[in-house]
């Protein structure tokens, strides 16, 4: 099997037990600068809303909903 690209999240998905797919993904990412750059770009964009403030507000909403 081959890794599944998920460009929107800046990741490649492989089944945890699929050693061949994991090796293939690592080989491609380490040898293809364009793929690596796109994954880095997408990963950074995906991480922008993941802040401590956003996490704290989400937790507050849960606690308020449980009150």
């Amino acid at each position: 099997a081959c890794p599944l690209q998920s460009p929107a999240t800046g990741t490649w998905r492989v089944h945890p037990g699929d050693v061949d797919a994991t090796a293939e993904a690592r080989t491609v990412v380490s040898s293809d600068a364009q793929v690596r750059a796109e994954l880095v770009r997408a990963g950074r964009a995906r991480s922008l809303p993941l802040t401590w403030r956003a996490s704290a507000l989400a937790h507050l909403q849960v606690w308020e909903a449980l009150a």
Side-chain angles (χ1 to χ4, degrees), residues 36-60:
R36 188 170 50 253
E38 178 55 27
L39 287 170
V40 168
R41 185 207 61 75
R44 286 182 177 158
R46 171 67 183 102
S47 71
L48 286 176
L50 305 176
T51 64
W52 285 112
R53 179 174 174 73
S55 177
L57 290 173
H59 280 82
L60 181 61

Side-chain angles (χ1 to χ4, degrees), residues 7-56:
T9 59
T11 62
W12 277 12
R13 296 181 183 190
V14 296
H15 186 279
D18 192 337
V19 176
D20 291 333
T22 300
E24 182 180 345
R26 288 181 177 201
T27 298
V28 171
V29 170
S30 67
S31 63
D32 188 324
Q34 185 174 355
V35 168
R36 188 170 50 253
E38 178 55 27
L39 287 170
V40 168
R41 185 207 61 75
R44 286 182 177 158
R46 171 67 183 102
S47 71
L48 286 176
L50 305 176
T51 64
W52 285 112
R53 179 174 174 73
S55 177

